[in-house]
């Protein structure tokens, strides 16, 4: 089969990125109709992955890839089994519809090309997450989905709410990504494998490790933040600031399921422990209830859907946590069903917003005549969401009740949670699908009529898909549900449920749910008022907490900055030199390796001592000089004395250079100093002098001791011998110093003369640029009245 | 001879750092000039010193034989001297220009980049 | 500083120093000397000329802008390394030729080209700094 060739799969994985690259150009050419062309990319991906379904349905696993960083044993490799295949099909299939929908939704938007680009980038990243076999690749793609999500939420970046939501999503999911990385590294450390496909054999080893809990908690940090589990759920509703196609695609159908995907992927190795089977159901159940209750409170169609997405994710986590055969099949069915109906409902909400001009459910009504196709699509999605036959949602809900039903109190509690959650989702589903369409016609900001084909094609297709998938359930199970459930369970599983209801507790629970839903639907307004009152009474939520966290972080960093950067040069200097002194003296004190007491060099000659004394005199004179000129001359004296030292110890080159440099330094110092009207001497308070002198002596003494210690060690002459031996034979030069500079180390010298050159340029520009005095003290460009930065400087 | 040079290096560093800790730009500049000498002499001494014989291969020999100064530190220092000089010149001009613009040579009063009572960053998004 | 005597001898002094600097540069490979020292001597010569007679005559005398000289030197040094491409040896390998001119064998090398580049960079950059600072004297 040619489609399974590794090269093709790699190209397919890169296809969204390539499409993202050409999207702006294509959009400039074709306008919103570029959507038709760009949707070909996900469609091609969909078809490519469809090619694997026969093999995967037969229990096969397709892997491929190549070495990426061989030295670290990191590979770019992929794994296609039931789980990743289902996700890949959902991502590419819904992706194609969303691209089309975006074309209609943002028609005429001047940033449409950029939008397409981001969407396709996200698609590539998300595909990478579910298809990755190597941990590192998984992490990279995982963070890439966070980043693209940030870009998409902040797409309308001129609004503050949008920026806040984008930053919030990035902080929460990006932070979770770091936890995930840590978790994967722990797992890597425990098992020694860095690939998911190999990891599956190490389940017992991992569960038996003392670091199991650490790895679990870190991985859960990643999964829970991405999949918006309570109490990290708050970013998801805020992410509704993004344009509706983004909400439909990222924040309901695909990205938020990455956390669930991860849990499902790691279920065979991390699952089946007390921790797993406690943490996941508890957090999942809490998320389910909190999500639905908050959804009731909302009147914005998108926010209602967003909160039910939170609760659906909770339900999925809860089911994954139970880990029984039925729970896993239920999770599989619900995941697929949810992607189809929630994606569809979001697109319907966007369509209503687009055509009627509002998405406030209390200001909508009677649209069924104006928007019949939308109404049908909405109804199909809502029926699936409510779990009524004959849609896929019904199968999922039946399977959920099968999985949960037992008579011990622990299970009964979760049954109750599921019934309440499902019942409230029933309410929201129908509130979104019925309220805007039924009842008397309400005046809307825009005159509503049916949207263009680009807009209703997506939701309608998804609705039909949910229906067909349920009607031909044996086929669905053979190609989708069973392989996926097998991959999650780590052993072969068969899903059998069909649209024909079975008599039993599950059916009764379904009926209870529906009854509860119908009653709640009729009381929706009162429930909403009650929730509003309750939330106002509580008054604090994680969303507020996020603001407090961010402002606290800003205040903390301001305080730390003020502490470590007080803006006083002398403080910086003191700290720096103290550190240097500590670095010099510390190791010697720690290891007790002080230099031996130096013996007086008997061979020291009188003139050498005189030169050394001149250096010292020059130094003292620099400090105590009464006026600047004396200081400069003293500076020159010590410099010339150093040049003499070079001369005395066999370095004529250095000596000449030093003489010239000291002369020039004294000359230009004198040139500049004569022009400065300065106080004659240094004013330091006595205490300051004592402190400064102590620091200076500590540092200087450190250098002295260090140098003594070094010179008391035997000297390794290997390098010098090399230069001495080959200077003439190889480089034809007798002056070894010069040969080193221009030949052996020529490239170094090239860099050094470049530095000299750049310094010269910098000095010239410093001398020539003049800044008007008034603007110097004020570096805030907004506070320069009537002066642009271009006028701020002039060249003399 | 190394112990004496080591003491000299220590003295050069001490004075350079003492000048660096001053608030006056001109004294910091002088510190920079002395610091260059200190570092050069440090490298020179660490490569061990030999009296008077420069590392130049005699006309009739193919390689440096007998006692001669170590050429490697000399090569390092030679470029270092020129670079530290151009760096010194840059600092000098920088200090001079700063004095012209800000009318002060005290580092305490040079607060353009880090103003006193800097505003807290905006708390919005 | 601008005494008559100083002003009178400065041009000669400068010429001598520049000549000496070139001598120091060329002998550098076998005797003490080289591009850095030579460049510094020449730069000091120009600085002295500038102090004695003003900056404008110096700028006229060297004709090119000092930074242009430095840039040319940097280019020359970099190109000296590139020469080794034609001999198929690694970058910056020294190459030598010995043409005989008037019966005297003159050793020429890419290393010498490199050293001359160093000389020009040092002359250009340092004298440009010195001249710029001297120029500020009058405003």
């Amino acid at each position: 089969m040619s489609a399974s060739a590794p090269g093709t799969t790699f190209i397919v994985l890169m296809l969204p990125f390539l499409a993202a690259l050409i999207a702006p150009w294509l959009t400039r050419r074709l306008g919103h109709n570029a959507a038709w062309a760009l949707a070909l990319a996900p469609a091609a991906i969909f078809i490519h992955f469809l090619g694997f379904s026969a093999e995967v349905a037969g229990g096969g696993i397709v892997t491929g890839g190549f070495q990426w960083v061989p030295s670290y044993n990191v590979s770019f490799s992929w794994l296609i089994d039931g789980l990743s295949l289902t996700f890949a099909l959902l991502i590419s299939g819904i992706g194609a519809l969303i691209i089309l929908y975006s074309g209609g939704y943002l028609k005429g938007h001047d940033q449409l090309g950029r939008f397409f680009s981001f969407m396709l980038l996200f698609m590539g990243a998300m595909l990478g997450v579910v298809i990755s076999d190597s941990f590192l690749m998984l992490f990279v793609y995982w963070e890439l989905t966070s980043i693209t999500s940030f870009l998409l939420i902040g797409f309308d970046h001129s609004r503050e709410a949008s920026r806040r939501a984008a930053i919030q999503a990035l902080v929460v999911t990006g932070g979770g990504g770091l936890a995930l990385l840590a978790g994967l590294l722990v797992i890597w450390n425990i098992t020694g494998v860095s690939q998911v496909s190999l990891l599956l054999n190490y389940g017992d080893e991992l569960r038996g490790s003392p670091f199991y809990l650490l790895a679990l908690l870190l991985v859960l940090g990643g999964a829970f933040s991405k999949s918006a589990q309570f109490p990290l759920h708050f970013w998801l509703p805020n992410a509704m600031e993004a344009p509706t196609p983004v909400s439909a695609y990222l924040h309901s159908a695909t990205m938020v399921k990455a956390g669930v995907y991860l849990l499902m992927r790691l279920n065979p190795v991390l699952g089946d422990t007390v921790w797993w089977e406690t943490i996941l159901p508890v957090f999942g159940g809490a998320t389910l209830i909190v999500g639905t209750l908050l959804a009731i409170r909302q009147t914005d169609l998108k926010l209602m859907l967003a909160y039910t997405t939170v609760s659906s994710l909770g339900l999925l986590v809860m089911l994954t946590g139970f880990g029984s055969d039925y729970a896993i099949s239920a999770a599989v069915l619900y995941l697929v069903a949810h992607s189809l109906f929630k994606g569809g409902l979001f697109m319907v909400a966007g369509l209503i917003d687009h055509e009627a001009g509002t998405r406030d459910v209390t200001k909508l009504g009677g649209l069924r005549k104006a928007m019949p196709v939308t109404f049908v699509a909405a109804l199909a999605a809502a029926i699936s969401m409510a779990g009524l036959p004959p849609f896929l949602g019904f199968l999922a809900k039946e399977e959920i009740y099968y999985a949960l039903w037992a008579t011990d109190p622990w299970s009964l509690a979760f049954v109750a949670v599921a019934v309440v959650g499902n019942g409230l989702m029933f309410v929201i589903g129908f509130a979104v699908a019925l309220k805007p369409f039924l009842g008397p016609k309400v005046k809307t900001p825009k005159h509503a009529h049916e949207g263009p084909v680009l807009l209703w094609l997506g939701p309608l297709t998804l609705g039909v898909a949910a229906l067909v998938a349920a009607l031909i359930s044996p086929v669905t199970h053979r190609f989708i549900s069973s392989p996926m459930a097998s991959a999650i369970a780590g052993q072969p599983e068969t899903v059998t449920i069909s649209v024909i209801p079975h008599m039993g507790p599950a059916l009764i629970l379904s009926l209870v749910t529906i009854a509860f839903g119908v009653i709640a639907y009729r009381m929706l307004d009162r429930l909403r008022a009650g929730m509003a009152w309750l939330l106002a009474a509580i008054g604090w939520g994680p969303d507020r907490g996020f603001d407090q966290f961010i402002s606290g972080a800003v205040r903390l960093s301001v305080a730390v900055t003020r502490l470590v950067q007080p803006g006083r040069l002398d403080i910086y200097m003191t700290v720096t030199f103290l550190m240097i002194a500590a670095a010099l003296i510390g190791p010697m004190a720690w290891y007790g390796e002080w230099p031996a007491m130096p013996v007086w060099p008997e061979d020291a000659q009188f003139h050498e001592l005189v030169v050394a004394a001149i250096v010292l005199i020059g130094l003292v004179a620099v400090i105590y000089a009464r006026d600047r000129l004396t200081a400069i001359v003293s500076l020159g004296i010590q410099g010339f004395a150093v040049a003499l030292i070079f001369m005395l110890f066999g370095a004529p080159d250095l000596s000449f250079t030093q003489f010239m440099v000291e002369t020039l330094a004294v000359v230009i110092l004198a040139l500049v100093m004569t022009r400065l009207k300065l106080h004659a001497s240094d004013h330091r308070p006595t205490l300051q002098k004592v402190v400064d002198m102590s620091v200076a002596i500590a540092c200087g003494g450190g250098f002295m001791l260090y140098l003594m210690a070094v010179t008391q060690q035997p000297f390794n002459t290997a390098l010098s011998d090399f230069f001495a031996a080959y200077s003439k034979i190889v480089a034809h030069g007798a002056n070894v110093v010069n040969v080193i500079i221009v030949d052996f180390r020529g490239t170094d010298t090239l860099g050094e003369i470049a530095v000299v050159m750049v310094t010269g340029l910098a000095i010239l520009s410093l001398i020539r640029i003049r800044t008007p005095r008034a603007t110097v003290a004020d570096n805030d460009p907004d506070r320069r009245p009537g002066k642009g930065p271009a006028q701020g400087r002039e060249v003399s | 001879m190394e112990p004496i040079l080591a003491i000299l290096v220590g003295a050069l560093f001490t004075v350079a750092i003492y000048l660096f800790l001053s608030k006056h730009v001109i004294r910091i500049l002088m510190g920079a000039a002395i610091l260059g000498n200190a570092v050069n002499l440090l490298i020179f001494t660490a490569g061990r010193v030999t009296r008077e014989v420069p590392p130049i291969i005699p006309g009739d020999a193919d390689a440096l034989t007998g006692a001669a100064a170590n050429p490697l530190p000399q090569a390092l220092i030679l470029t270092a001297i020129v670079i530290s000089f151009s760096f010194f010149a840059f600092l000098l001009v920088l200090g001079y220009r700063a004095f012209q613009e800000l009318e002060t040579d005290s580092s305490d009063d040079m607060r353009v980049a880090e103003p006193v009572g800097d505003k807290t960053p905006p708390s919005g998004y | 500083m601008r005494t008559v005597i100083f002003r009178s001898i400065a041009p000669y002094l400068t010429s001598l120093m520049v000549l000496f600097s070139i001598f120091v540069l060329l002998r550098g490979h076998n005797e003490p000397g080289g591009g850095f020292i030579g460049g510094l001597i020449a730069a000091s010569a120009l600085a002295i000329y500038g102090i004695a007679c003003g900056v404008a005559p110096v700028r006229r005398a060297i004709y090119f802008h000092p930074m242009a000289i430095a840039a040319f030197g940097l280019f020359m040094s970099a190109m000296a390394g590139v020469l080794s491409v034609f001999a198929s040896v690694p970058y910056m390998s020294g190459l030598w030729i010995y043409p005989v001119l008037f019966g005297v064998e003159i050793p020429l090398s890419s290393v010498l080209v490199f050293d001359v580049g160093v000389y020009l960079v040092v002359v250009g950059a340092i004298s440009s700094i010195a001249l710029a600072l001297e120029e500020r004297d009058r405003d």
Side-chain angles (χ1 to χ4, degrees):
Chain A
M1 187 163 59
S2 67
S4 67
T8 324
T9 301
F10 180 72
I11 292 169
V12 162
L13 285 178
M14 292 298 126
L15 199 58
F17 296 108
L18 297 177
L21 213 58
I22 61 161
W25 175 80
L26 211 59
T27 311
R28 217 173 303 140
R29 281 293 168 89
L30 302 176
H32 73 283
N33 283 320
W36 294 104
L38 291 170
L40 289 177
I45 299 168
F46 185 79
I47 291 165
H48 175 79
F49 281 112
L50 218 49
F52 291 113
S53 50
E55 194 176 344
V56 170
I61 291 176
V62 183
T63 55
F66 51 85
Q67 284 289 305
W68 191 9
V69 189
S71 45
Y72 285 102
N73 197 19
V74 172
S75 58
F76 188 98
S77 54
W78 52 86
L79 164 72
I80 301 168
D81 62 359
L83 179 57
S84 43
L85 183 64
T86 306
F87 264 98
L89 290 175
L90 283 174
I91 292 162
S92 52
I94 298 181
L97 296 173
I98 288 285
I99 292 290
L100 294 178
Y101 182 81
S102 312
Y105 189 80
L106 289 174
K107 181 179 170 184
H109 195 288
D110 54 352
Q111 300 287 349
L112 182 59
R114 198 173 57 145
F115 185 79
F116 279 137
S117 232
F118 290 166
M119 283 299 247
L120 288 160
L121 272 181
F122 164 76
M123 191 185 297
M126 188 65 209
L127 210 53
V129 168
V130 298
I131 227 82
S132 291
D133 192 16
S134 103
F135 286 174
L136 207 66
M137 194 173 138
L138 172 71
F139 169 74
V140 169
Y141 277 125
W142 181 281
E143 291 293 49
L144 199 56
T145 60
S146 295
I147 292 166
T148 44
S149 156
F150 166 79
L151 291 171
L152 283 165
I153 297 170
F155 180 70
D156 191 5
H157 52 75
S158 54
R159 283 185 309 120
E160 185 178 357
S162 188
R163 293 197 298 271
R164 172 175 184 267
I167 290 172
Q168 195 176 52
L170 186 67
V171 168
V172 175
T173 60
L178 292 180
L180 171 67
L181 176 65
L184 291 176
L185 290 178
V186 171
I187 293 176
W188 192 348
N189 231 328
I190 296 173
T191 61
V193 296
S194 64
Q195 298 201 334
V196 175
S197 49
L198 299 174
L199 182 68
L200 297 181
N201 306 323
Y202 287 86
D204 292 330
E205 204 167 304
L206 203 55
R207 281 185 284 261
S209 158
F211 297 108
Y212 166 78
L213 189 60
L214 178 66
L216 177 68
L217 290 178
L218 288 169
V219 168
L220 289 184
F224 281 9
S225 61
K226 197 78 163 183
S227 281
Q229 297 299 297
F230 180 80
L232 297 175
H233 64 281
F234 55 89
W235 70 267
L236 183 53
N238 288 335
M240 296 302 127
E241 294 294 337
T244 305
V246 178
S247 310
Y249 191 40
L250 274 71
H251 304 126
S252 75
T254 56
M255 187 185 88
V256 289
K257 295 211 175 66
V260 176
Y261 164 80
L262 186 72
L263 296 178
M264 290 177 162
R265 178 53 85 199
L266 295 177
N267 180 47
V269 286
L270 286 177
D272 201 20
T273 64
V274 178
W275 290 107
W276 180 272
E277 290 177 357
T278 313
I279 298 176
L280 263 64
V282 167
F283 274 90
T287 310
L288 172 59
I289 292 297
V290 170
T292 45
L293 288 177
L294 291 172
I296 294 289
R297 160 75 186 84
Q298 305 300 327
T299 58
D300 182 322
L301 291 175
K302 272 178 80 178
L303 283 177
M304 293 161 76
L305 292 173
Y307 278 108
T308 56
T309 305
V310 170
S311 48
S312 297
L313 293 167
L315 182 57
L316 285 171
V317 169
M318 185 173 115
L319 290 169
T320 312
F322 278 115
S324 67
D325 295 352
Y326 278 122
I328 286 172
S329 352
V332 167
L333 289 170
Y334 191 74
L335 188 140
V336 176
H338 178 257
S339 291
L340 298 179
F341 70 68
K342 196 55 69 65
L345 278 177
F346 264 113
M347 288 197 250
V348 165
L351 189 45
I352 294 171
D353 186 18
H354 195 261
E355 296 305 325
T358 178
R359 37 173 216 255
D360 188 330
V361 74
T362 58
K363 293 177 184 150
L364 287 163
L367 291 174
R368 68 186 176 285
K369 287 258 172 53
M371 306 172 75
V373 186
T374 314
F375 183 42
V376 170
L379 216 50
I383 292 171
S384 190
M385 179 167 171
L388 297 178
F391 282 83
L392 199 54
F394 170 71
L395 270 60
K397 200 182 59 182
E398 290 289 286
E399 197 77 353
I400 291 169
Y401 288 139
Y402 268 124
L404 293 181
W405 178 253
T407 46
D408 59 301
W410 171 259
S411 303
L412 278 178
F414 283 102
V415 169
V417 165
V419 168
V420 172
N422 273 327
L424 291 176
M425 279 200 263
F426 176 101
V427 174
I428 301 295
F430 280 113
V432 172
L434 295 181
K435 294 244 164 179
F437 296 99
L438 299 182
K441 195 152 169 46
V442 177
K443 190 165 162 44
T444 50
K446 276 159 85 176
H447 181 69
H449 47 77
E450 191 56 76
V453 59
L454 277 172
L455 285 179
W456 54 252
L457 184 65
L460 200 63
T461 312
L462 293 181
V464 171
L467 178 64
V468 171
L471 292 179
I472 55 163
S473 56
V475 181
T476 313
H477 294 329
R478 180 168 146 64
F479 286 104
I480 301 284
S481 325
S482 299
M484 183 166 164
S486 309
I488 298 168
Q491 60 197 28
E493 295 280 343
T494 320
V495 184
T496 51
I497 191 158
S498 73
V499 258
I500 321 289
H502 300 277
M503 294 308 288
L507 188 65
I508 297 169
L509 287 170
S510 275
L511 293 174
V512 172
T513 309
I514 293 168
F516 173 69
V518 171
I519 296 167
Y521 181 80
R522 301 185 71 86
M523 295 167 55
L524 182 56
D525 289 336
R526 263 189 287 167
L527 282 175
R528 182 182 297 141
M531 274 312 292
W533 175 85
L534 183 66
L535 289 176
I538 297 171
W540 188 90
D543 196 31
R544 288 267 311 279
F546 178 80
D547 278 344
Q548 288 159 353
F549 167 74
I550 290 292
S551 75
V554 169
R555 275 205 298 273
L556 178 70
S557 54
V558 167
V560 169
T561 310
R562 291 221 169 114
L563 185 70
V564 299
Q565 297 181 11
R568 298 254 318 268
L569 185 66
D570 48 337
I571 293 178
Y572 298 160
M573 286 289 180
T574 308
V575 173
T576 307
F577 286 119
L578 277 177
M579 284 297 129
I580 292 175
L584 285 168
I585 298 174
M588 280 191 272
W590 182 262
Y591 295 106
E593 291 180 355
W594 300 101
M597 188 64 201
V599 289
W600 180 255
E602 294 300 330
D603 59 343
Q605 315 228 330
F606 180 67
H607 61 272
E608 291 166 358
L609 296 177
V610 170
V611 173
I614 294 175
V615 174
L616 290 177
I617 292 167
L619 288 176
V620 173
V622 170
I623 291 182
Y624 286 104
R626 285 263 162 220
D627 59 285
R628 298 282 172 194
L629 204 60
T630 318
I632 295 172
V633 171
S634 316
L635 190 70
I637 288 174
Q638 64 83 31
F640 287 130
V642 171
L644 274 176
I645 291 178
F646 289 143
M647 177 71 92
L648 290 174
F649 293 97
D653 286 320
L654 293 192
S655 187
F656 292 155
T657 317
Q658 176 82 9
F659 270 120
M660 298 315 302
V661 160
E662 284 303 331
T663 314
L664 279 169
V666 167
V667 167
I668 67 166
L669 200 52
L671 276 175
V672 172
M673 292 292 248
T674 49
R675 271 178 257 150
L676 299 184
K677 311 281 181 289
L678 293 174
H679 291 297
S681 60
D682 193 5
H683 302 288
R684 297 192 214 192
T686 314
L687 182 66
Q688 185 70 38
K689 273 185 186 158
V690 172
V691 171
D692 289 354
M693 208 27 127
S694 326
V695 173
I697 287 175
C699 220
F703 274 109
M704 183 185 74
L705 292 173
Y706 167 76
L707 187 54
M708 280 181 179
V710 166
T711 49
Q712 281 165 10
Q713 301 295 316
F715 185 53
N716 181 349
T717 58
L719 263 180
S720 308
D721 287 346
F722 170 85
F723 292 126
Y726 292 104
S727 173
K728 195 153 189 180
I729 299 170
V730 178
H732 312 286
N735 183 355
V736 184
V737 176
N738 188 265
V739 170
I740 294 176
I741 291 176
V742 297
D743 201 329
F744 287 127
R745 310 280 312 150
T747 317
D748 263 9
T749 311
L750 187 64
E752 279 151 5
I753 57 176
V755 171
V756 173
M757 164 101 196
V758 169
T759 330
L761 283 175
I763 291 173
L764 277 194
S765 34
L766 255 184
I767 289 179
R768 295 206 175 153
I769 291 173
R770 281 196 179 170
T771 323
R773 209 146 276 172
T775 63
V776 169
D778 183 2
N779 60 350
D780 186 355
D782 300 335
R783 278 165 52 195
R784 279 182 197 167
K787 270 190 186 169
Q791 296 158 306
R793 40 188 62 186
E794 58 192 44
V795 177
S796 68
Chain B
M1 197 56 202
E2 278 93 354
I4 294 175
L5 289 180
I7 293 167
L8 212 53
V9 167
L12 282 164
F13 268 111
T14 307
V15 172
I17 290 164
Y18 182 72
L19 290 172
F20 258 117
L21 292 173
S22 165
K23 290 179 174 46
H24 296 277
V25 173
I26 292 302
R27 294 186 70 91
I28 296 176
L29 275 173
M30 292 181 173
I34 295 177
L35 193 71
N37 285 340
V39 172
N40 289 340
L41 207 55
L42 175 83
I43 299 173
F44 190 67
T45 312
R48 308 300 190 273
V49 292
T50 313
R51 281 200 180 76
E52 276 143 26
V53 187
I56 291 174
I57 301 169
D60 48 353
D62 273 343
L64 204 56
T65 46
N70 186 355
L72 183 60
Q74 292 192 24
L76 296 177
I77 295 167
L78 186 60
T79 48
I81 292 175
V82 177
I83 288 189
S84 60
F85 170 69
S86 36
F87 186 59
F88 169 73
F90 176 74
L91 286 182
L92 182 70
V93 174
L94 193 64
Y96 172 58
R97 295 289 299 152
F99 177 78
Q100 276 190 328
E101 300 294 348
L102 306 174
E103 295 174 327
T104 176
D105 75 330
S106 164
S107 64
D108 272 359
D109 300 332
M110 295 184 175
R111 301 294 296 259
V112 177
E114 293 172 287
V116 190
D118 203 358
K119 285 180 301 199
T120 47
S123 54
Y125 290 91
Chain C
M1 293 287 265
R2 288 196 196 149
T3 58
V4 178
I5 298 173
F6 189 36
R7 251 185 300 167
S8 315
I9 63 164
Y12 304 102
L13 187 63
T14 303
S15 330
L16 273 176
M17 282 176 81
V18 170
L19 264 182
F20 179 65
S21 76
I22 294 171
F23 166 71
V24 167
L25 159 71
L26 292 181
R27 75 170 203 158
H29 216 53
N30 292 311
E31 303 283 330
F36 279 106
I37 306 170
L40 282 169
I41 294 172
S44 319
L46 296 176
I48 288 172
Y49 192 23
I51 291 171
C53 308
V55 173
V58 184
R59 290 208 190 274
R60 272 201 304 281
I62 58 175
Y63 189 74
F64 297 105
H65 190 279
M67 277 328 280
I69 296 177
F72 179 72
L74 188 59
F75 179 74
M76 202 168 154
S77 291
M79 284 303 118
V82 175
L83 279 181
S84 54
V85 167
F86 301 107
S88 308
V89 285
Y91 181 69
M92 278 268 175
S93 301
L95 301 171
W96 292 78
I97 49 169
Y98 301 93
V100 178
L101 209 62
F102 306 118
V104 182
E105 193 191 62
I106 302 171
L108 290 180
S109 64
S110 64
V111 174
L112 183 68
V113 177
F114 184 83
D115 216 7
V116 172
V118 172
Y119 172 85
L120 290 178
V121 171
V122 174
V123 176
I126 306 279
S127 61
S128 138
I129 298 167
L131 292 180
L133 285 172
E134 286 167 16
E135 224 161 16
R136 304 286 296 175
D137 247 349
R138 283 186 306 280
D139 52 40

